[in-house]
Amino acid sequence: MPLTDADLDHLADLARLELPAEDRAGLRRDLDRLLGYVALLQEVDVDGVVPMQRPMHLADVLRDDEAVRPVGSGDLEALAPATSEGRVVVPRTVDGSG
Amino acid sequence: MTLRAPSGPHGARRTPFESVIGLEVHLALKTRSKLFCGCSAETFGDAPNVHVCPVCLGLPGSLPVVNRAAVDLAATFALALGCRITPQTQFHRKHYFYPDAPKNYQISQFDRPVGEAGVVEIGGRRIGITRCHLEEDAGRLVHPPYADHSLVDLNRAGAPLLEMVSEPDIRSPEEARLFLEHLRAIAQSLGVSDAAPEQGKMRADVNVSVRLPGEPLGTKVEIKNLNSFKSVQAAITLEARRQVLLREAGAPVEQETRGWNEGGQKTYVLRTKEGSADYRYLADPDLPPLHLDEVAIARLRGAMRELPEAKRERYVALGVRAAEAELIVLDVPQATMFDALLEAAGAIEPRPTPHTLATWLTGEVAHARKGAEGTLAPEDIDATALVALIAAVEARTITLTSAKELLGDVLAGADPATLIEARGLRQIGDADALGAMVDGVLADHPEVAADVRENPKALNALVGRVMRASGGQARADAVRALLQERLRLDPDGG
């Protein structure tokens, strides 16, 4: 089933991406081909196969509840493009002045 | 139960509609470190972005490892709510893009939550618990006024949360509040969470719909940003009223998420609901599954502290009135104090009854604590001194009036016996001394005495005068009896 315009808008919205009009046709074509490739997997008969959720056969990996000062702690300011009084500056997420 | 909207600008209304309410509650788990890294989880009030590391920032190459204590606390809470524990539990990534989620996904649980299908009984009604799951908290956003930007503090990002989802079994705003009070008491009793809404350690979202009794469930509206029990109650009341007005006008209720405006006491549209598929849940490949077998469950059950319901039953068995017992156990610090009072009372003769202690605790002591505006923590109160004060009233060493006068000082740490002697509050039990006082008042106020002879119901005027003359140290019933005798009144008449 090919991707509709509405699907593309919804995906762009979820990804918080602005799509230039001239890119839409190309993107739709690429996504359709990607999804078509993945759709091949749907043809495999997996009845009775337990889904493998992780490649590693590990279980019950736990750590004790100890607060430590991990390496890199407090270095966020150096990583952030802009900060203000220790907080990271980001585009405004709410409307209004509140 | 029918919905009764509160009296407001439109006046009290009765409608045939009932509200159907489900709650989602987030509790900050009481651990030292975050859910998947060693950063401190206790960050309230600290400078921004100091409790962060590559793991909770989601930097490339970092690996989350589950905090054992968080799993134990979550499973303990789920057990207390009567949930079935999932033998093999696991974590999923829930994807969304927002500045408070540095990894662009939140580690949560999806198909195998820690616990499912529980029940909490409140006031004889059973509220179903859909699930209890573990997840990490998000960061905190600040929006400076008139700025074009927001500010992010990631101290809280990655802190462990327990999310509890109830069935839509709640039928009134009051019941929603009572349910939250029970949850808080359970969480605090078990040491699972401080469950303090004012510190963001207990947060609730509510789902509200309305229907006529017998109808299928109506379209639900979710309300977020509720940070006090009072807001939950108010938001449900107003949202149910809004929906009833829509239904009565023949308009459909839209499924949407609304926010709560604390100042304006109203709800507003936040966004239309995203579907579960939009979150692209994915089993987290970094986090292997966890097993919670019978041995682990038995260990957690064995370590479980007394639950509020068991406490309530214990108090009632000791002779405490049911309503007072409920009041005590819903306030966990108060219940802890009550247990201390019971223990202290064991060493005193004559021993005040649990009923007497409960009456004091929920009456005078609660009143004094309220007056102290949070500065009087139960753990600071000397239970032995408080019981000694109550016992002094029971033994008729001092009057109730004197005891109330001394209560503030005793709660602040003073020794009641010393206070009683220092202030000369020992009750006037000597019949001659009391008789002289009564005679003195009668001689000083012959006109009042004459009135009382005409109208025995006015006796209290004289009782009050004698009590004042005694400085509150006479026993009112003894004074009353003496006055009746002197004025030759029928003891049953006045």
Side-chain angles (χ1 to χ4, degrees), chain B residues 305-338:
Chain B
R305 297 185 216 158
E306 189 180 32
L307 285 167
E309 182 56 21
K311 254 190 213 302
R312 193 185 63 79
E313 282 171 15
R314 178 160 60 84
Y315 295 161
V316 169
L318 287 172
V320 177
R321 274 203 302 265
E324 277 176 350
E326 170 109 344
L327 212 56
I328 292 173
V329 301
L330 285 181
D331 177 349
V332 171
Q334 187 170 248
T336 307
M337 200 196 317
F338 189 58

Side-chain angles (χ1 to χ4, degrees), chain B residues 346-369:
Chain B
I348 281 187
E349 282 300 333
R351 180 186 305 183
T353 64
H355 169 73
T356 304
L357 295 174
T359 306
W360 269 87
L361 189 61
T362 55
E364 295 301 328
V365 177
H367 184 70
R369 278 176 66 203

Side-chain angles (χ1 to χ4, degrees), chain B residues 411-473:
Chain B
L411 291 178
D415 170 49
T418 313
L419 281 180
I420 291 167
E421 294 313 320
R423 301 202 192 161
L425 292 178
R426 202 165 264 284
Q427 184 162 282
I428 300 166
D430 180 349
D432 290 345
L434 201 55
M437 230 171 262
V438 166
D439 291 339
V441 167
L442 288 176
D444 289 347
H445 305 282
E447 71 296 344
V448 185
D451 282 353
V452 174
R453 279 202 185 83
E454 291 294 315
N455 174 20
K457 290 201 191 319
L459 185 66
N460 281 341
L462 284 172
V463 175
R465 283 192 162 82
V466 178
M467 292 302 290
R468 273 198 294 282
S470 78
Q473 294 165 55

Side-chain angles (χ1 to χ4, degrees), chain A residues 10 54 60 63 65 68 86 88, chain B residues 33-34 37-38 49 287 291:
Chain A
H10 184 57
R54 297 168 186 82
D60 305 307
R63 64 180 177 82
D65 180 28
V68 292
V88 182
Chain B
S33 63
K34 290 186 180 179
C37 62
N49 292 316
L287 292 160
H291 293 90

Side-chain angles (χ1 to χ4, degrees), chain A residues 3-27:
Chain A
L3 206 68
T4 64
D5 257 337
D7 289 336
L8 194 62
D9 284 337
H10 184 57
L11 288 175
D13 189 45
L14 287 175
R16 304 289 184 265
L17 289 177
E18 208 172 342
L19 293 188
E22 63 269 24
D23 291 351
R24 295 181 68 98
L27 257 174

Side-chain angles (χ1 to χ4, degrees), chain B residues 166-179:
Chain B
S166 88
E167 292 290 308
D169 289 344
I170 298 166
R171 289 289 173 272
S172 71
E174 297 74 28
E175 194 168 68
R177 184 181 182 146
L178 193 61
F179 177 75

Side-chain angles (χ1 to χ4, degrees), chain A residues 2-3 9 15 24-25 29 31 39 41-42 44 53 55 58-59 64 66 69 79 81 88:
Chain A
L3 206 68
D9 284 337
R24 295 181 68 98
R29 202 167 46 242
L31 281 170
L41 292 173
Q42 311 269 30
V44 182
Q53 309 237 33
L58 289 170
D64 289 333
E66 279 162 18
R69 193 159 255 281
L79 294 172
V88 182

